[in-house]
Amino acid sequence: MASAAVVINKRKLRYTGEALAAFKSSKVDDNLVSHATCPDHDVEHVTNGLNGLCQHGTVNRVWDVNGSETRPPQPAPGRHIGTYPLTTNLAPWVKKAVEHYKPTDEVLELVKPFAAAFHEALDQERKSSHGLHDLNAIELTYQCTLEIGAAIILAADATDDPVQPQLELHASRAGGDDHFTPWGKLLTKLDCDPPIIVQFPFYLLLCQSFTFEPNWHREDYVYAALTGVDWTKGQNKFNQRIAAFEALAWASLPSLDDKRSGEDRSFWRCALAYLRAMNDTENARKFKTPRTAAIKHDLHPDHVILARAFDTIGSAYMCRDGAAWLDDEGMDSLIGSAVPNDVMDLHTDIFTGETRNLLRLLYPPNQTIEQTLSINSTILSSMLCEIFRGHHRAWKHNREDGRISSTSPPYSFSRARHRRIFETMEVYINQYPKFWEWTWELYRMAKAQITEAGLAEPLICGLKRAAVHGKLPDSPPNNFFHLWYDMVEDGTDQLAKKSPLGVSEDVAHIIRETHSLWHQQLLEEGKEPGWGREFDIKSDKLLGEAGEILAAREDISDDAYKFTVAYGRLSMALPYIAYHTIDAIIMAFGAIPVSRG
């Protein structure tokens, strides 16, 4: 339940009449299939908490030791969603998966120093706990995620056909993020250098816009920037700039200290500590990764899925007060925050040696293009159905956790130059003349699955169904995405309005130009070679221009929220669909190296 202090203002959500009718007519609450009915799910009850799980009499887990006592749950001013006010109980399928995971000695040896450091960080949080977050459950899930991540790294390292990493694609080597500078200033009030770290507070802004969050705090945006510190580190001079920003952030904002602010922001520090542990594990030594999309491993799908879900650190971004919904629906939100990122990054992940990608871990090799198009159409439709459920929970149940999945696509598109989004797309379009034919067929297959049965299927079940090319039962379509279909297929009328997609007039031209670039111009034939790079440059330039305009308002305004909502909708349209085609091609035929002359 939630108190009045955490009530979502529905009037600001600005759903169309057709969308509201879709909410009201949907029977998703009654029809939502139990996560226990997914393949491989015969859930049995197990206890929540640190002790008793992930055990099976194993072995020298450095974090399974007595430490500081966890403070009992305390009353919360905002809401109470579980035994601890700001942490729900774990979803039954997660409990069972964690209970049955047995790490090998090799995995435990690899993570040992980093798991110990993470345990020490969590122990420090226990000593100063406000009693609002279940720190035992948080440590449990992150420690098991660290172990499963290590198991994936070791499985990939066993390949006999490794890829040659393209280090220039790594976050610590890539550039071209200066368009984030005005956004960083608006959100953190700091000069964020290198500007790549602004991607994280920008993602938080996207999340906050999901429900037009009225109670935003600068401290949360600065903490979000700090989550980029370990993510972007590399073995070069880039680290000096990162360290300088980290020092600036702590010095400029003393209220990052909970004792000074009176707020509990342990959820940010737990996420930072996990990222540090995972980064150290990945860099413990040089590991090989296969050049194929699929990574051979012997992990249960549930272990892969739960690890990828928690690896996103999406629980830190999930709610305004750090509340973590780790129940069935909340876990689908976490998974949903991973899926679009993995879709957009499959090509890059192969060439940078990134292993924690669901498309690399859930789907078998040696598939035909027809089969991989089917897989990716189901991934797309399942993700869109999850976005519907996230909006429905906000509208009907006062839960904002769906914001992390709904805003994942624009998180990727906000850095076009760095990710080489259109530059990469150009290579695949040139190589495969049937690219757009395949894309429209994939879109058609996905659209056919956005039905009442699709809305009733949990995301985890949809991802598993994709692997076996399963079919949904017949049911009526849902009209929630009618305007999205229109924007993909044409969008002329929507974009011609005085306030296209609901934005303020001073940024309306940016929305129109972005849609034109990503739709009409993208489909034009006879473009000059190198158009992909030009599209990336223009995309970032437009987003940067919006940042400059909105930053002139000094503080985060509803206009900023309106813009990011519109930008999010654009980011889910044709280029996003086309990346599912790229992934289908990679899964069927292999990834194509992208080189610059």
Side-chain angles (χ1 to χ4, degrees), residues 500-519:
L501 307 186
V503 301
S504 57
E505 289 185 42
D506 54 354
V507 293
H509 68 286
I510 294 172
I511 293 300
R512 292 192 190 98
E513 289 179 36
T514 302
H515 181 270
S516 173
L517 185 69
W518 291 0
H519 290 76

Side-chain angles (χ1 to χ4, degrees), residues 9 48 67 77 88 105 152 213 352 379 414 426 448 531 555 571 579:
N9 185 349
N48 194 5
T88 66
D105 289 341
I152 293 168
E213 173 56 51
T352 58
I379 293 171
S414 66
E426 180 181 2
W531 62 263
D555 281 331
S571 299
Y579 257 81

